[in-house]
Amino acid sequence: MAIGLIIIGDEILSGKRRDQHFPKVLELLAERGLKLDWAEYLGDDPARIVATLKRTIASGDIVFSCGGIGATPDDHTRQCAATALGVPLVLHAQGRANIEERIGDMARDAGTTADLNSPENLHRLKMAEFPQGASLIPNAYNKIAGFTVGTHHFVPGFPVMAWPMIAWVLDNCYSHLFNRQPHSEQSVLVYGSMESTLNPLMEALEADYAPVKVFSLPSVGDAITRGHIELGVKGEPSLTASAFADMCAQLTGMRIEFAPCVTSCDAPV
């Protein structure tokens, strides 16, 4: 199953907030021997969110969606998920109980008594309105849950809440997928050569060691590092090791200058 990430919010697209979810989700997945297959950024546009969710739900992918599940006018994700699924939003009983517990906690901390029927507290219950049939994702930070429908998992935009919730979903729903495909990556830094020169070598390696993938990442360099191409292979560890040895031998035979890449020459995932 492919794994995807959707990050929602005008504040990300406008630059008012810097996205932190993408690198963290990569980290959470890598720790479990998984990888991210795709990611999309969306603004607070209900029509676009609905269209995206309809497409991703139909794909059967595992999808994490960050943002837009609050109760302000620019939070559309809960309703958009319901629309995409063709089901109503309903007040989740346990989700409501969690919010009421949170309201009580806040009142006690302030030295007052909670009025669960006040307009502002009734409005907070909107955060427990989820697509019919949804299950909860616990939120240890403030008890206000996210939700799951099928293989789609919706969490808040706040990293302090979202990241533990994503980890919880992975550990409780997908542990059977952990470390099923051993993976390694090895590369070198190639100097004084063009990608066009390296293309025949790259194509031959992919043909001879399929399904190992070959990659090239050009860099213009900086005051410290010379311009170079990071040339490497990635895939099943033993096959990758053979492809890497062959790649280095061929580079030597072509009299192309190269040096070890310290950061990714041997990076098992």
Side-chain angles (χ1 to χ4, degrees):
M1 298 175 72
I3 301 176
L5 174 65
I6 299 173
I7 299 165
I8 297 174
D10 284 348
E11 68 277 8
I12 299 296
L13 298 182
S14 69
K16 289 183 178 180
R17 294 288 187 274
R18 180 175 61 88
D19 170 49
Q20 301 177 61
H21 295 302
F22 181 81
K24 184 63 178 182
V25 169
L26 293 182
E27 177 186 320
L28 292 171
L29 293 174
E31 290 171 352
R32 295 159 174 81
L34 302 171
K35 67 180 182 68
L36 188 67
D37 294 280
W38 57 263
E40 296 189 30
Y41 290 86
L42 301 175
D44 297 314
D45 177 351
R48 189 177 297 276
I49 296 170
V50 169
T52 299
L53 291 177
K54 284 184 176 180
R55 170 171 49 82
T56 59
I57 289 168
S59 74
D61 290 351
I62 298 167
V63 177
F64 294 95
S65 175
C66 301
I69 65 170
T72 56
D74 59 343
D75 289 318
H76 305 294
T77 305
R78 291 176 293 104
Q79 180 61 68
C80 289
T83 301
L85 289 161
V87 299
L89 276 182
V90 296
L91 183 61
H92 193 286
Q94 185 58 53
R96 173 177 183 161
N98 292 347
I99 292 175
E100 290 179 340
E101 183 178 351
R102 170 64 175 170
I103 293 169
D105 292 343
M106 293 171 63
R108 280 189 297 274
D109 290 343
T112 62
T113 301
D115 178 4
L116 296 179
N117 293 313
S118 70
E120 63 179 26
N121 285 332
L122 289 175
H123 182 74
R124 287 190 174 105
L125 296 181
K126 287 187 173 295
M127 290 185 289
E129 292 180 353
F130 302 134
Q132 188 174 57
S135 58
L136 300 186
I137 302 172
N139 180 349
Y141 184 82
N142 66 3
K143 301 180 182 178
I144 300 176
F147 66 97
T148 287
V149 283
T151 58
H152 278 51
H153 311 282
F154 298 84
V155 299
F158 297 102
V160 70
M161 303 178 196
W163 299 348
M165 295 168 78
I166 292 172
W168 184 92
V169 170
L170 290 170
D171 292 340
N172 285 272
C173 301
Y174 300 110
S175 61
H176 61 288
L177 300 178
F178 293 179
N179 301 304
R180 288 179 59 179
Q181 296 181 328
H183 177 90
S184 69
E185 178 178 312
Q186 294 180 272
S187 64
V188 296
L189 301 184
V190 174
Y191 300 103
S193 188
M194 304 291 290
E195 283 187 300
S196 56
T197 303
L198 300 171
N199 270 338
L201 168 59
M202 296 170 66
E203 291 172 355
L205 288 169
E206 287 205 338
D208 293 343
Y209 296 95
V212 167
K213 292 184 178 180
V214 182
F215 63 89
S216 66
L217 301 172
S219 172
V220 297
D222 52 34
I224 300 174
T225 307
R226 295 163 56 191
H228 60 270
I229 297 171
E230 183 182 351
L231 181 67
V233 289
K234 57 186 178 181
E236 189 278 326
S238 62
L239 199 58
T240 295
S242 298
F244 181 70
D246 190 358
M247 183 185 78
C248 292
Q250 293 197 52
L251 288 172
T252 299
M254 296 166 68
R255 299 181 181 276
I256 292 175
E257 181 186 1
F258 66 95
C261 177
V262 176
T263 58
S264 61
C265 270
D266 189 3
V269 175

